[in-house]
Amino acid sequence: MSTLAAPALPEAAPAASTPTGLAAATRRQRRLAYWQAMPLGLVFLVFFLVPLALTLIVSFWEYNEYEIIPAFTLQNYKDVFEGCLSGGDLCTTFRTYLSTLKFCLLGWAATLTIGFTVAYFVAFHVRSTAMQTVLFLICTIPFWTSNVIRMIAWVPLLGRNGLVNDTLMGLGLIRTPIEGLLYSDFSVVLAFIHLDTVFMIVPIFNSMMRIDRSLIEAATDAGATPWQTLWNVIVPLCKPGIAIGSIFVLTLIMGDFVTVGVMGGQQIASVGKVIQVQMAYLQFPAAAANAVVLLGAVMVLIAALTRLIDLRREL
């Protein structure tokens, strides 16, 4: 006579499956996450938050020709916006910011157009991964030299007796050299495009490589033209890359003073140039106040971009 096997007793639930165990596991994971984030947090604290806090503090200090006085004052900010509320002509600060904003918009539009085109070609028309790597290395070759050398390299090309003017005169297209090629707004924007386009290429290319190719095939099968596929499929899916590249380019141009000084012949105003001059004259509180205002302007630009595109959700 066979005997029925006794039903197996349920095994004791592991401690982690109980509410107390789950809470303890969650706390351990949270502590581990904090420890893992600590090195980056320390770097962020030492190299970003502390200098930023010092800049903010110094911007409220007094100064004279000989020393910085750690006494609270708002005079540095009043000097920054001096004459801006009089209702007459634009004050120096507004004119300087408009000049800088002009360079930002021109540089951003040009780098976006060139960067998107290059990234699109490499992502969708170059099938070999090795060739894509080679093309990216070619894009980074200019970065093997310093920014100043790359800017100075334009002087023999754009100067009054440079290669461009000599070529145009040799072809009979112009009779006298074009004066506005160098030390002008054109040369400044050209240098910004040269220096910053790669910062637009990389994030856009990264976004394009993450696009599911079946979406493009589906659009083509549905009868979409190449332009419709580009505008309605690729561009929307590249918005995170475009936003990140735009942040890179705009912040670099907003704070740049070397490019404006070298390619503008020390004759074109920008916010970064104003801060650099004040630093040269040891007017550190005034320079700090200008830097804080510049930081506020950059944060407004970034906030506007992040309102257009939710980077946290897209990434």
Side-chain angles (χ1 to χ4, degrees), residues 229-253:
T229 302
L230 174 67
W231 186 251
N232 296 310
V233 178
I234 297 176
V235 170
L237 294 175
C238 289
K239 286 194 297 184
I242 294 173
I244 294 172
S246 300
I247 290 173
F248 283 153
V249 171
L250 290 175
T251 52
L252 287 172
I253 296 178

Side-chain angles (χ1 to χ4, degrees), residues 206-227:
N206 185 46
S207 294
M208 286 181 176
M209 292 302 291
R210 297 171 60 184
I211 295 176
D212 188 350
R213 297 305 193 259
S214 62
L215 296 176
I216 299 174
E217 294 176 2
T220 304
D221 294 341
T225 63
W227 171 254

Side-chain angles (χ1 to χ4, degrees), residues 259-279:
T259 305
V260 177
V262 174
M263 301 303 290
Q266 309 296 339
Q267 300 174 357
I268 297 176
S270 74
V271 182
K273 188 68 180 171
V274 171
I275 296 173
Q276 187 263 333
V277 170
Q278 289 174 330
M279 294 282 288

Side-chain angles (χ1 to χ4, degrees), residues 47 77 92 147 205:
F47 294 102
Y77 289 94
T92 303
N147 287 359
F205 174 78

